[in-house]
Amino acid sequence: MEVYIKDILFVVFLLCFIAQLYYLIANHNRLARYKPQNDTPVGQLPVSVIIAARNEYANLKHNLPLILDQDYPEYEVIVVNDCSFDHTDELLNIYEKQYPKLRIVTIEEHPRFKTGKKFALTLGIKAARYEHLLFTDADCEPTSSHWISRMASKFKGDVSIVLGYSPYQRSRGLLNLFARFETLKTAINYLSAALSGDAYMGIGRNLAYTKTLFFKNKGFAAHMHILSGDDDLFVNQNATPANLDIEIHPDAHTQSEVKPTLRSYYRQKKRHMGVGKLYKSKHRRFLSFDALSGFVYYGLFIYLLTIQLEPLLILGLYLFRLILQVVIYNKVFTKLRCADLIWWLPIFDFVYYLYLNIFGLIGTFTKTKQWK
């Protein structure tokens, strides 16, 4: 009986190994082959940049001028001041006098009606003068003065959603390393899915879509009761193979700092993972199978080596997958300006799948109560 159990575990390991190869070759390799446009596009469409901010005085002071000084002919920046009490209003009033492109929408605190980010964004969208909307967060800074140009240039033909990339800034510490790696792996997954014509999410730190699409599909109405999901749930429900494109050129990134403590990082990720259960069923299956097969693959790899069951074969399969990962991911990591993380792949890839399963369970049984 014990022999049969070992054989079954070995077969399960092989199946998980094959599943992981599928995700690498059939999906992630699409992003490795993708070539972003090198020439800086000329701005044509007027754009409304929308930022929802609650108590973001320090971030707005640093990042807002970088957005207001973009090299783009016609755009406006709408900052929705969502019940801030940290002198954000004073800062915005000063900037409004300095920058004609800045417009302010203010939400006052109500004793009984508590607002969230989706409400703030909806007010910003309603206030927007232009059809094409570009979103980021107050704690994000564009990596160049051509951020708007590159994101807006993707609105061609039937495209009404543009997915961008928003990495974390590099600094010291293991938390920074893993947070950057996790963000990169998440981007590889959702950008590869978009290239395959089956986009399932986007990141609100760097996302664009049209005003018509938003109101045609009733905005966030389907998930207004969920505080998170203004970005990924909107994309999950409204993206089609024909209406979506991606922009990953380094000039089009928006970057932010990793949360300073493990506790704050945990709160952020718990909030993000909590909306996954509302994805379309096919996307939940796709993501769950990747997470589970990766976790079981590593778990059985360690166990089968421990009991010395075909150790040379097990190690050979592990090295084959790792080498294939390095070949494919090195191209992607280089494109997304995270080449230093390739050295951490053998460690962080295992930690990543452990993280996915733990936070997946936490997100399933928890409810987000606040967006800030």
Side-chain angles (χ1 to χ4, degrees):
M1 185 65 178
E2 184 178 348
V3 175
Y4 289 128
I5 293 176
K6 290 180 179 179
D7 289 342
I8 291 172
L9 292 177
F10 181 74
V11 171
V12 172
F13 172 78
L14 289 178
L15 292 175
C16 291
F17 169 78
I18 294 171
Q20 287 295 296
L21 290 189
Y22 166 78
Y23 282 96
L24 272 173
I25 298 171
N27 291 278
H28 301 168
N29 196 40
R30 296 177 187 273
L31 190 59
R33 299 197 308 265
Y34 180 80
K35 295 181 179 180
Q37 179 184 348
N38 287 323
D39 297 334
T40 303
V42 178
Q44 296 178 339
L45 302 170
V47 173
S48 294
V49 178
I50 300 177
I51 303 169
R54 177 176 291 182
N55 295 327
E56 295 281 6
Y57 173 86
N59 286 321
L60 288 171
K61 185 176 182 180
H62 178 267
N63 298 326
L64 192 53
L66 300 175
I67 296 173
L68 290 164
D69 287 329
Q70 286 283 297
D71 185 10
Y72 198 77
E74 187 175 358
Y75 74 100
E76 64 177 355
V77 178
I78 300 174
V79 177
V80 184
N81 182 12
D82 186 11
C83 307
S84 298
F85 50 85
D86 66 342
H87 305 294
T88 291
D89 55 341
E90 298 173 13
L91 177 69
L92 292 177
N93 289 333
I94 293 173
Y95 280 169
E96 188 177 31
K97 297 175 183 177
Q98 297 177 1
Y99 299 97
K101 295 181 183 298
L102 177 60
R103 297 176 60 208
I104 303 169
V105 176
T106 301
I107 302 175
E108 300 290 346
E109 188 76 51
H110 192 282
R112 288 185 296 177
F113 178 62
K114 300 299 180 182
T115 63
K117 187 177 181 181
K118 291 175 185 175
F119 180 77
L121 289 176
T122 299
L123 291 186
I125 292 170
K126 288 182 177 180
R129 294 191 179 108
Y130 304 130
E131 165 70 2
H132 297 87
L133 314 173
L134 178 56
F135 299 86
T136 190
D137 288 343
D139 63 347
C140 295
E141 64 173 272
T143 53
S144 80
S145 61
H146 302 297
W147 169 55
I148 297 178
S149 296
R150 289 197 171 275
M151 291 294 289
S153 70
K154 293 296 181 175
F155 284 114
K156 297 177 181 178
D158 296 327
V159 173
S160 54
I161 302 176
V162 180
L163 306 184
Y165 175 56
S166 185
Y168 284 121
Q169 295 172 344
R170 184 177 179 177
S171 63
R172 296 179 179 180
L174 278 176
L175 179 59
N176 178 268
L177 282 168
F178 178 71
R180 290 171 57 225
F181 183 88
E182 183 272 330
T183 299
L184 181 58
K185 277 280 286 188
T186 300
I188 290 173
N189 285 329
Y190 77 76
L191 292 171
S192 298
L195 290 174
S196 71
D198 194 21
Y200 64 86
M201 69 167 283
I203 297 295
R205 300 193 301 271
N206 198 1
L207 174 67
Y209 50 79
T210 63
K211 199 171 183 178
T212 297
L213 180 72
F214 181 82
F215 286 113
K216 179 182 178 182
N217 294 283
K218 299 180 180 180
F220 306 126
H223 46 86
M224 198 69 178
H225 60 292
I226 304 294
L227 289 181
S228 298
D230 55 277
D231 44 10
D232 51 353
L233 288 181
F234 182 84
V235 173
N236 190 266
Q237 293 178 354
N238 296 294
T240 69
N243 77 349
L244 184 139
D245 204 348
I246 71 171
E247 175 54 83
I248 63 169
H249 191 280
D251 286 351
H253 298 176
T254 60
Q255 59 185 7
S256 57
E257 295 181 354
V258 175
K259 293 296 182 181
T261 65
L262 188 60
R263 183 178 181 180
S264 58
Y265 180 74
Y266 167 80
R267 286 181 56 190
Q268 180 190 50
K269 291 304 172 183
K270 185 177 71 171
R271 184 173 69 247
H272 291 169
M273 297 291 282
V275 301
K277 54 182 176 287
L278 298 179
Y279 287 3
K280 293 178 181 177
S281 57
K282 64 175 181 177
H283 296 141
R284 293 200 306 271
R285 289 193 298 268
F286 179 81
L287 295 171
S288 297
F289 188 60
D290 177 30
L292 187 59
S293 65
F295 178 73
V296 174
Y297 164 80
Y298 278 112
L300 288 179
F301 166 72
I302 295 171
Y303 177 73
L304 294 176
L305 281 183
T306 301
I307 65 173
Q308 294 291 300
L309 180 64
E310 300 289 348
L312 292 179
L313 178 58
I314 296 296
L315 281 172
L317 293 175
Y318 169 81
L319 289 174
F320 178 81
R321 175 179 178 269
L322 179 60
I323 292 171
L324 187 61
Q325 279 184 304
V326 170
V327 171
I328 293 175
Y329 285 169
N330 188 53
K331 297 178 183 178
V332 179
F333 284 26
T334 301
K335 288 177 185 177
L336 298 180
R337 295 296 189 266
C338 297
D340 63 298
L341 292 175
I342 199 70
W343 300 103
W344 291 90
L345 183 62
I347 298 173
F348 282 159
D349 194 59
F350 165 68
V351 178
Y352 172 77
Y353 281 106
L354 183 64
Y355 151 87
L356 279 184
N357 284 271
I358 291 175
F359 275 88
L361 288 173
I362 292 173
T364 301
F365 298 106
T366 58
K367 182 178 180 181
T368 302
K369 297 181 180 180
Q370 60 183 29
W371 79 272
K372 284 291 292 178

